[in-house]
Amino acid sequence: MPSLEPCHLIANRPDYVVATWRQIFCAIWRRETTEEAVRRVHDACVEFAKQHPRGIGLLTVVEGEASLPPAGARKALASFLAQASSVIRCSAVVFEGSGFRAAAVRSVVTGLSLLARQRFPHKVCDIAEAGRMFAEILPAATGIGVSEAAFRSSLDELREAIGCR
């Protein structure tokens, strides 16, 4: 059965996907993380945040095939997180890979978080924990309720529809 409130797909590229659900902005990194892709994701986030003046949640999913971002992309990501910190109320990063590659990507994300000096709750976690965090933090911060189950259902539906898994 389709979800009552589907995700809104903004961009579906070979290297990344951008989608939104209520006041949650979602970036899914699939393969390469380039400076240009980070700029496009950042621009989309800025536009989305304009529609939500009380703030947004940020979900970043790193698929198992995603490679380590090069230095320029890491710098652009840190800049994005720092600049967006005024509108982000909470952030979750979900890694779907395992082994050495996933550990290396996790270490890069940890470093980016330290560089960006985020002023909001931030977790590296699984998708279930991300949904719980959004449901706990965003309603009080933004005035818009979040159902963990509806969020997960909508995100799963989107990813299945675009072949993202």
Side-chain angles (χ1 to χ4, degrees):
M1 182 170 138
S3 61
L4 297 176
E5 191 172 357
C7 285
H8 174 70
L9 180 64
I10 295 172
N12 183 9
R13 306 285 185 268
D15 290 329
Y16 67 94
V17 173
V18 174
T20 62
W21 185 82
R22 291 188 167 222
Q23 73 274 41
I24 299 171
F25 183 86
C26 178
I28 302 171
W29 297 101
R30 302 177 90 179
R31 295 184 192 126
E32 301 296 321
T33 304
T34 65
E35 288 180 67
E36 178 63 25
V38 174
R39 278 193 288 278
R40 289 175 188 237
V41 170
H42 178 232
D43 291 347
C45 185
V46 167
E47 287 304 309
F48 178 68
K50 288 177 184 176
Q51 300 167 34
H52 299 278
R54 292 184 64 189
I56 63 172
L58 173 64
L59 173 66
T60 303
V61 177
V62 181
E63 290 189 340
E65 297 300 312
S67 63
L68 283 171
R74 285 195 300 266
K75 184 177 177 182
L77 284 165
S79 176
F80 165 34
L81 291 173
Q83 290 174 20
S85 68
S86 65
V87 297
I88 296 173
R89 299 297 170 252
C90 59
S91 168
V93 177
V94 175
F95 292 95
E96 297 182 329
S98 60
F100 177 76
R101 180 192 301 226
V105 173
R106 274 193 281 286
S107 70
V108 167
V109 169
T110 301
L112 289 173
S113 296
L114 292 172
L115 283 174
R117 299 177 194 251
Q118 296 156 329
R119 297 180 280 177
F120 46 84
H122 173 76
K123 288 185 180 183
V124 176
C125 56
D126 64 20
I127 193 68
E129 190 174 356
R132 284 190 296 276
M133 181 177 67
F134 293 142
E136 291 170 7
I137 294 173
L138 288 177
T142 67
I144 302 171
V146 174
S147 160
E148 288 177 54
F151 170 65
R152 284 287 304 279
S153 174
S154 296
L155 187 60
D156 289 346
E157 201 173 275
L158 169 80
R159 293 187 75 192
E160 185 175 316
I162 62 175
C164 201
R165 284 250 178 212

